[in-house]
Each structure stands twice: as C-alpha cells, then as structure tokens.
Amino acid sequence: MRPLARLICLTLLAVALSGCKHPPKPGGGPTVVVCGERGCPAESSPETPPRDGGTLVVHVEAEPAILCDLVEHDAWSRWIVENQVAETLLYQDPWSGAIGPRLAKSWELPAGRLILHLRPGVKWHDGQPFTSADVAFTLGRAQDPKVGADQRADLEPIAKIETPDPLTVVLTLGRPAPYLKQALAHISMLPEHAYRGLALRTAPASRAPIGTGPFSFVEWKPGERIVIARNDAYWGPRPHLDKIVFQIVRDKEVAYRLYRRGQLDVMRRLPPGRTVDEARRDPSLTGHRLFLWTPRAYFFIVWNTRKPPLDDARVRRALTELTDKRRFIQIGFDGHARPITGPYVPGTASYDSSIAPWPYDPNDAKRLLAEAGVKKLELTFLLTAGSRTVEQLATLLKEDFARAGVTLDVATVDWAVLLDRLRHHAFDASALQWTLSLEQDNYDMFDSTEADRGQNYGGFHSGAADALMDQIRVTVDDTARHGLERQLHRVLHDEQPYTFLSSPEVATLEAPRVHDLAPSMDGFSFAQAWVDPPKK
C-alpha cells in the first residue's frame, strides 16, 4: 500500500474509529481493511441481522502447551481461553481501553482497599457456583512467584485477600496500585474445586478448562484441533456461533491452501513468502477481507547482560548498531512493521516519540567495541525450529555482525528448551515478542529483582531503571506516571538490554461467510461473530 493511502486511512480511523477499506482491484481479490492503532471495530449491518448457529473454523499456527494462561505465556492459549471460555473479574475494552464490569458487577475504592461485588447466579461450566473463594484462589496463585503469572508484579500491592461472603472480595492494599484494575481485567478466573491440591501446570483442568464464559470447552485432539461450543447457560448475552474449531496446522503454506479451498474461515497471518500485494491480486480471494493490523506487541533481541562483554552497555549498543533493522523489516515482514525504540505502545503517553532508533552504523559499532576493549567476540544466537522470521533475523545478524569481526553461531532448540535456557540465563542472545498492555508495567522484564523469578531473561541490572520502576509502580496520577515511563524509555534506549526491532503488522484473512469479527490490538473476540449457513 502507498504511504499516503496508509496515512489517510490511519487518520480517518483515529477520528472515526472505522477501518479504511480498499475494494478489490479489477480482476478480483479481497477487500483490504487497513486498521489504525486501536484495531478495526467489528462491522454490523442493520440490514442483515446476525444469524444464530454454525461453526467457525480458525487456523492455529502454533499449538499451545496447555490452556491455562496464568502459567503459560502463550498468545494462542490466551486468545482461545480469555473471555471465550474463562472470564476475568473486570473487562478492558480492546479498542478504547476503558475498564468496566465482567464477573465483578461493581467495585468500590475506599482508602487502601478495593472491594469487588461479584455477579450472583454465575456458574462454572460443570454447574458449580462461582464464588469469592474462586477469586481468592486465583489471585493467590497469581501472586505466587513459583507460578510465574504475567500479572504477578501488578498484584504485589495486595497485602490481604478477604472473602466476607460468597459474593464479596476485599483486597487490602499495602501501597498505591495504578495497574491493579487493568491486571484484574486480564487474569482468567480458575475454579478452586478443579485445582484443589493439584499443580496448575499439570492439572486436568489446564488442558480441559472449566470456565464461566460464553463458550465451553469440548475437546482437544493434539496436533489437530481444539473445539469450544456455545454455553447455553451463560449469564450474559449468548454468542451466535454453535461452535468454534481452532484447527492446528503448523505448516502455514498448507493452511493457506486449506483457507483458499474454504476449509478454514480465519487465517490469522499470511504464510511466510506470501506478500500482501500477492494476496490482493488473488482472484480466488474475491469477496474475502484482508485485515492489516498491528497487535499491541514488539519484536526484540534480548542480550544476556550477565555474561561479559555483554554486561557492557557499549557492547550492546554496538551490536544494535550492527543490526540493519530496516533491512530486517523488509525481509522478515515484507516491509509491514514499524520501528520502535522502547517497551511501550507507540502513540501512547508512555512512549517517548522523540527518541530516534540507533542507526545502522558499522563504523561506530567498531569504535564502541574498541572503546570497550573487545578485540574478538563470538556469540551464540538461540532460536526455535519453524520460526522463519527469527531464522531470517539470525541469517541477517550473521552477515551484519561479520562486518565488525563479530562471529555469530546459531543454535536451534525446542521451545521448551529455549524457555528453560532463558530462565536460567544460559544463552548469549535470542529473539522474542512481547504482547503489551495499554498501561504497561515493565517491572517483570527489566527490574533487577526479577532476574531469577520473573521474565528479566537477560539479567539486566540498572540502578536508574530500578529506581524509576519503583516510582512508576506507586504513582497513581496518570500524567506523572507517564512522565516517569518516558524517562524509563530513555534509560532502556541508552542501556540496550534489548535491541528493540519492530512492531510487526499482521495480515489476517477472513472468509466472506464471517461477520462481526475484526481484530483489535488484543486479537479477536468471538462473542459477537456469526456466519452464513453453508451453501447447498
């Protein structure tokens, strides 16, 4: 797409919150919908009321390990479970960011406390009542460092959890908690009776989840599919779909062929090697929609700052200056990604847009390495098999680094092995993607205390960063907190514990029979989606 057309689309969406459509070119092809920074709001047509019934088939490119996102930081686990099968206490609108009620119908904020009033009559899918005991159990597990929940740092202000009756939860706070309500909007509640005395990771309910949501779990056939079905006893508005099948197809090119044959309704991402322009010209996709959207996420290289000479910020900056990010974006993402410089959502008050990316500058990189006393540097880059984007990055890094005499070896390991080595700091470099919250708490990723219990995989330590994060986490005033976050952005840019690469755009295909389903920055919510009946 031409830059001017993209700029116009984004401007219109920011004003009107509607997707910018590009109809098919003569000869056929899909309608292209370019989403703005908040995603694409689902479209409803008053002339065509939603139809109940039918099955939606969604492509899953990477099978999750389990379906309990409290302990497994996996995007597909979260998208399948959160607010489809399991539900959260509060709800954060994925387009506006506004926080409202969900399983908690209301709340109060007297001094030093958060009092949650739960909805009466809510039942788990196995018929057991949802009560305050389930909330206390879930939050208690989320606070446990051994569990490793994403939101653990945001729950640290909770000094005491009380349940005076089955429908009331009282959280006593030991300090201000600016991120607490957002955290409660992204922690799926767990049924205490299904987990009592069991480890979360290995409990049967983590593979066959029991929730309170609009869909209930039906089956998981490993390597083939995960199926959920409409919960007719749901406490809220019932979904239109009878069933959703998450079809597991690891080979994305095979999935693309299945999609074009009508065997998949939604393909979240075009396969590697298939460009957006190619898809736009494909006559077999006439009548389909091609959403171009940017998830709230960023792609980065993490350096093990515990290992000399990577413990020297000059060396990390030199490696960043040896990374041709623009070339990587063109090759790895077909040009459909935006450069980033820090760990906040671009366009928000936390992101310092005045910070320019470190340039690709091999000469300055050589100077920095010499200044740090590095004459010879050999590094190993860890990646997982099947990640073509990371494989392309590793290939480019080998070429770029060699220009400054840096040798990069590549080691391919299984995902579980990679995570274990990251957690134990047994690596030099690797690449990951973090999904962000609108109000992002970076304590777990960058605070020195989180190196052995959180997701500070690089073992990064900075007194300035630690002090800023301590301030940020007790600053309730939004303006003041955002100012501190921009300062943290600057520190991380200077220190380069990560080489911040890009926020990739995603091209999602959706069949003509699918309605009221569009991506937000959080991905997809299927509660309002519906499908046309099969053609006879």
Side-chain angles (χ1 to χ4, degrees):
M1 175 179 292
R2 296 177 181 175
L4 179 59
R6 178 174 172 79
L7 176 62
I8 292 171
C9 290
L10 295 181
T11 303
L12 289 174
L13 188 113
V15 174
L17 265 183
S18 60
C20 181
K21 293 183 180 180
H22 293 257
K25 292 182 178 180
T31 297
V32 178
V33 183
V34 182
C35 304
E37 289 184 343
R38 296 184 181 183
C40 288
E43 299 178 55
S44 295
S45 172
E47 293 82 17
T48 309
R51 172 189 176 273
D52 287 344
T55 297
L56 180 75
V57 184
V58 179
H59 172 230
V60 173
E61 59 198 37
E63 186 169 14
I66 57 175
L67 294 176
C68 178
D69 61 351
L70 198 66
V71 293
E72 189 64 35
H73 314 297
D74 178 277
W76 276 109
S77 174
R78 182 172 60 84
W79 287 335
I80 292 171
V81 174
E82 186 179 308
N83 290 323
Q84 322 292 348
V85 176
E87 293 185 289
T88 54
L89 290 168
L90 306 180
Y91 174 72
Q92 185 169 36
D93 185 276
W95 288 279
S96 70
I99 292 177
R102 192 102 192 191
L103 288 175
K105 66 175 183 177
S106 63
W107 62 88
E108 304 167 47
L109 280 166
R113 292 187 299 166
L114 173 60
I115 303 174
L116 299 159
H117 301 285
L118 306 182
R119 291 186 187 276
V122 175
K123 293 186 182 295
W124 295 102
H125 294 151
D126 62 3
Q128 294 291 317
F130 167 72
T131 72
S132 57
D134 299 306
V135 177
F137 170 79
T138 304
L139 297 184
R141 297 291 74 74
Q143 287 184 302
D144 185 349
K146 295 178 182 177
V147 171
D150 280 340
Q151 299 87 357
R152 181 179 60 81
D154 296 337
L155 301 181
E156 281 186 356
I158 300 175
K160 185 192 298 184
I161 303 172
E162 297 174 287
T163 54
D165 63 62
L167 295 178
T168 306
V169 180
V170 180
L171 306 180
T172 300
L173 308 179
R175 62 170 174 81
Y179 300 117
L180 180 56
K181 285 196 293 182
Q182 179 177 257
L184 297 179
H186 294 281
I187 298 177
S188 297
M189 292 294 104
L190 302 176
E192 182 188 21
H193 64 275
Y195 283 94
R196 192 178 295 116
L198 301 174
L200 292 185
R201 187 171 291 277
T202 57
S206 288
R207 285 194 64 84
I210 301 168
T212 60
F215 294 94
S216 58
F217 175 83
V218 175
E219 70 168 348
W220 181 354
K221 194 166 184 180
E224 293 188 22
R225 62 183 177 270
I226 297 169
V227 181
I228 61 177
R230 180 173 58 222
N231 172 22
D232 288 326
Y234 183 52
W235 60 266
R238 294 173 190 172
H240 302 295
L241 297 167
D242 284 338
K243 190 163 54 176
I244 303 175
V245 175
F246 295 94
Q247 197 75 38
I248 301 164
V249 185
R250 291 185 177 87
D251 188 317
K252 300 179 182 68
E253 187 60 36
V254 170
Y256 188 58
R257 292 198 293 270
L258 292 174
Y259 177 85
R260 293 174 73 204
R261 291 206 297 260
Q263 293 176 257
L264 298 171
D265 294 314
V266 178
M267 186 167 185
R268 182 182 177 272
R269 189 188 297 269
L270 286 176
R274 295 280 183 176
T275 68
V276 170
D277 285 341
E278 178 185 355
R280 291 181 69 186
R281 295 192 298 269
D282 189 340
S284 72
L285 298 179
T286 300
H288 295 242
R289 286 177 295 283
L290 178 63
F291 290 98
L292 301 181
W293 60 289
T294 304
R296 202 166 48 224
Y298 67 88
F299 196 71
F300 64 96
I301 302 168
V302 55
W303 308 107
N304 186 350
T305 68
R306 288 186 170 187
K307 293 183 68 173
L310 295 173
D311 58 344
D312 190 322
R314 293 170 296 182
V315 174
R316 300 193 298 270
R317 178 176 157 189
L319 295 173
T320 293
E321 292 189 359
L322 285 172
T323 304
D324 191 341
K325 294 185 284 292
R326 292 188 181 276
R327 184 172 170 230
F328 167 62
I329 287 173
Q330 190 60 47
I331 293 175
F333 298 109
D334 190 32
H336 293 282
R338 56 184 176 188
I340 60 161
T341 59
Y344 293 104
V345 180
T348 65
S350 305
Y351 188 90
D352 189 340
S353 58
S354 70
I355 296 175
W358 291 114
Y360 173 62
D361 192 338
N363 290 329
D364 193 55
K366 293 176 185 177
R367 177 190 66 79
L368 288 166
L369 290 172
E371 187 180 297
V374 176
K375 296 179 180 179
K376 183 179 180 181
L377 182 56
E378 296 181 0
L379 301 172
T380 299
F381 185 90
L382 288 185
L383 59 83
T384 55
S387 177
R388 175 166 174 165
T389 301
V390 181
E391 290 171 355
Q392 290 172 322
L393 172 64
T395 300
L396 293 176
L397 290 178
K398 283 174 68 75
E399 297 174 3
D400 290 339
F401 286 10
R403 294 186 175 94
V406 177
T407 301
L408 187 72
D409 295 320
V410 178
T412 302
V413 297
D414 291 336
W415 174 245
V417 174
L418 175 67
L419 276 181
D420 184 69
R421 291 184 63 173
L422 290 173
R423 288 166 179 155
H424 291 92
H425 313 292
F427 74 103
D428 295 329
S430 189
L432 296 169
Q433 179 170 293
W434 285 145
T435 299
L436 299 173
S437 301
L438 276 171
E439 290 286 344
Q440 176 65 28
D441 183 2
N442 282 294
Y443 181 87
D444 200 38
M445 278 74 78
F446 297 109
D447 195 88
S448 59
T449 63
E450 296 298 296
D452 292 322
R453 62 179 186 176
Q455 293 172 297
N456 184 358
Y457 297 141
F460 177 61
H461 181 279
S462 164
D466 284 357
L468 280 167
M469 284 183 283
D470 286 343
Q471 283 184 275
I472 287 168
R473 300 177 77 227
V474 297
T475 302
V476 177
D477 180 79
D478 289 345
T479 300
R481 186 175 67 257
H482 293 155
L484 293 168
E485 288 167 337
R486 290 192 296 273
Q487 291 182 46
L488 177 62
H489 183 167
R490 176 73 62 178
V491 169
L492 296 176
H493 173 71
D494 292 340
E495 294 282 346
Q496 289 293 288
Y498 293 172
T499 292
F500 296 94
L501 292 172
S502 62
S503 186
E505 185 178 75
V506 174
T508 295
L509 279 167
E510 194 173 284
R513 68 187 295 262
V514 181
H515 303 276
D516 289 346
L517 180 65
S520 69
M521 289 186 294
D522 275 341
F524 293 86
S525 175
F526 302 99
Q528 300 303 316
W530 58 282
V531 293
D532 293 328
K535 293 182 179 179
K536 296 181 180 180

